Amino acid sequence: MAESSPVRFGILGCANIARKVSRAIALAPNATISAVGSRSIEKATAYAQENGYPSTTKIYGSYEAVLDDPEVDAVYVPLPTSLHVKWAVLAAQKKKHVLLEKPVALNVKELDVILEECESNGVQYMDATMWMHHPRTAKMKEFLSDSQRFGQLKSVHSTFAYLGDTEFLENNIRVKSDLDALGALGDAGWYSIRAILWTTDYELPKTVTALRDPEFNEAGVILSCGASLSWKDGRVATFYCSFLANMAMDIVASGSKGNLRVHDFVIPFKENVAPFYTVEDSWFGELAKSIHPAPSEQQVNTDLPQEALMVTEFSNLVGSIKGEGSKPEKRWPTISRKTQLVVDAVKASIEKGFEPVEIIY
C-alpha cells in the first residue's frame, strides 16, 4: 500500500457510537469509509446518508458482505459485546484489521480467541479507547514519570459515571443481559480500569476486591460498582463506575512528591483543548488556614479530536503492515487483555461475595 493510499474501513452495524467514529474516519488524513453493513440494507442506506458517508461507500445488507469485500482493509466493530467474538474472529480470518469497540469481550477467554485469530492472520488489533490517543494523555504521563515532580505513585482513584434516563435504563443495549452483560462495569468501568493501569505502566495489581453493594437491574446487569486494587509494593487504587450518578470522568493520582488531577479524561469538555492539573510539594499555610501552592492548570491543544487521532494511529499501523510488511503492533492487544483481566477479576469478586481475587497474567 502506497503511503498516500488511505486505509479503507468497513463499518459493521449502525450503532450510535459508529456515528462518532465515522466522523473520525472522515477527519483522519489516512483513512476513508469504504463500506457499511447492517442486517437491513434499508437501515444501512439511511445510515450512510444521515452520516454523510462518501458517495462511493458500498452499502450491504449483512455484516458478512462487508468482510467479503476485497476493497475493505479494516473493520470497525461497534456491535453489542456478546457479538464481538463471532465478528472480530471472522474479520481476522478474512484478513481485515480490527478496531474493536469496548468492552472488547465478555471475558478474557473470549478476548484470547479474538487476539489469537488476529495474530495468526497477521492483522492489527486495537480497542477503541479514544482517550489513549489524545496528546494530553502523553503530557500527563510525562508528569507521572517525573521522579522529581511527581515522585513514586502511591494511589490512584478513577470515576466514570453518567446518569441514564428511564429510556436508557429500560432499553439500552448496555443494560441487556444478552447483549452487554457487563453493564456499567464493561461500559464505564473499562475506562477507569484502563486509567489505573495507565498510571502503573500496565503493571497488573496483585489482587482486586470489589466494593460491597453494587447496584443491579432486574436482569442482574450491573448499574453501578466499584473495586479496590492493590500491588505488592503498597500502591493502591480504587474506581467507581455508574449509570446512576451525575456525569464524572475523573483521575486523581497521588505521588510521593506531587498530584495529578483530570476531570474529563474520557471525553474532554472541549474538543480542541483539554486541561489537567498538577501540584508539587504541597503544604499547610500559616495556622493551617490554607494550603499552597494551588494546583496549576496545563492546557493541551489538538487540531484533531481524540477519536480521529485514534483512527490515524490505527491506520498508520495498518499502512505499515500492508505497505512495508511490518508485523502488527503488540502493545494494543497487550493492554486490552490486561484491562479485560481486571474487569473479569472485579466481576469474579462480586460473584464470590467480595472476596479478593488474585490476578494471574
Side-chain angles (χ1 to χ4, degrees):
M1 179 184 264
E3 260 186 55
S4 57
S5 173
V7 169
R8 301 164 297 181
F9 275 84
I11 312 289
L12 296 192
C14 301
N16 209 32
I17 186 69
R19 295 173 187 272
K20 184 174 182 176
V21 175
S22 298
R23 172 177 174 261
I25 294 168
L27 288 170
N30 55 354
T32 185
I33 295 172
S34 182
V36 61
S38 170
R39 289 167 296 182
S40 139
I41 198 153
E42 292 78 17
K43 190 176 176 188
T45 305
Y47 189 83
Q49 287 169 347
E50 285 163 19
N51 290 285
Y53 280 16
S55 56
T56 51
T57 305
K58 285 175 272 189
I59 314 290
Y60 294 116
S62 72
Y63 306 147
E64 290 96 334
V66 176
L67 301 183
D68 286 332
D69 186 334
E71 294 182 339
V72 168
D73 302 309
V75 290
Y76 169 59
V77 185
L79 301 170
T81 312
S82 59
L83 299 177
H84 284 189
V85 70
K86 176 181 179 180
W87 292 105
V89 162
L90 279 171
Q93 289 170 346
K94 301 275 185 180
K95 308 292 192 227
K96 309 299 185 194
H97 303 273
V98 178
L99 180 61
L100 188 58
E101 197 47 66
K102 36 59 49 195
V104 290
L106 293 173
N107 52 58
V108 81
K109 190 177 170 187
E110 279 193 359
L111 179 57
D112 281 343
V113 173
I114 294 169
L115 297 181
E116 280 158 22
E117 285 294 337
C118 288
E119 188 169 359
S120 62
N121 286 285
V123 299
Q124 184 64 52
Y125 163 96
M126 183 186 281
D127 65 52
T129 309
M130 299 168 183
W131 73 273
M132 304 298 301
H133 304 270
H134 197 292
R136 172 175 66 180
T137 304
K139 280 283 175 205
M140 292 192 295
K141 193 67 189 164
E142 279 177 26
F143 177 73
L144 292 178
S145 304
D146 189 328
S147 60
Q148 294 309 305
R149 297 176 65 207
F150 182 72
Q152 291 178 307
L153 179 68
K154 305 303 284 182
S155 84
V156 57
H157 177 71
S158 180
T159 300
F160 182 21
Y162 57 92
L163 186 61
D165 60 14
T166 306
E167 164 69 18
F168 177 95
L169 293 173
E170 285 176 6
N171 299 315
N172 195 277
I173 64 164
R174 293 167 181 81
V175 298
K176 299 291 184 188
S177 58
D178 58 335
L179 297 174
D180 265 309
L182 294 169
L185 173 59
D187 185 60
W190 173 275
Y191 287 99
S192 286
I193 289 166
R194 172 62 60 84
I196 291 166
L197 292 175
W198 167 78
T199 67
T200 68
D201 292 328
Y202 303 101
E203 185 187 331
L204 285 162
K206 186 174 188 297
T207 59
V208 172
T209 311
L211 305 181
R212 292 183 179 275
D213 304 314
E215 295 171 276
F216 300 91
N217 66 10
E218 287 172 9
V221 175
I222 295 168
L223 300 180
S224 80
C225 72
S228 64
L229 293 69
S230 57
W231 283 257
K232 54 182 180 288
D233 62 2
R235 284 174 295 173
V236 292
T238 52
F239 78 86
Y240 172 74
C241 60
S242 179
F243 293 154
L244 304 172
N246 187 54
M247 185 170 281
M249 304 178 177
D250 294 311
I251 304 169
V252 179
S254 300
S256 54
K257 296 181 181 178
N259 303 326
L260 175 137
R261 290 181 177 83
V262 58
H263 302 299
D264 56 348
F265 85 95
V266 179
I267 300 168
F269 294 122
K270 294 178 180 173
E271 200 171 59
N272 61 342
V273 61
F276 67 99
Y277 304 86
T278 62
V279 68
E280 303 151 47
D281 300 321
S282 313
W283 195 242
F284 302 104
E286 189 187 357
L287 299 179
K289 292 182 303 200
S290 61
I291 50 171
H292 58 81
S296 59
E297 181 179 275
Q298 326 282 328
Q299 297 265 8
V300 183
N301 297 297
T302 180
D303 293 332
L304 285 175
Q306 58 185 11
E307 58 273 19
L309 294 170
M310 173 184 76
V311 169
T312 304
E313 167 69 5
F314 179 75
S315 300
N316 279 339
L317 295 171
V318 171
S320 12
I321 293 164
K322 291 183 76 71
E324 299 155 31
S326 302
K327 293 276 184 231
E329 168 67 67
K330 289 205 171 156
R331 174 173 177 255
W332 296 109
T334 302
I335 64 177
S336 217
R337 187 173 191 273
K338 287 182 173 183
T339 310
Q340 185 72 48
L341 274 170
V342 178
V343 169
D344 286 12
V346 176
K347 187 165 181 281
S349 179
I350 291 171
E351 289 166 356
K352 290 177 180 178
F354 312 102
E355 288 292 312
V357 170
E358 277 205 40
I359 300 257
I360 298 155
Y361 185 60

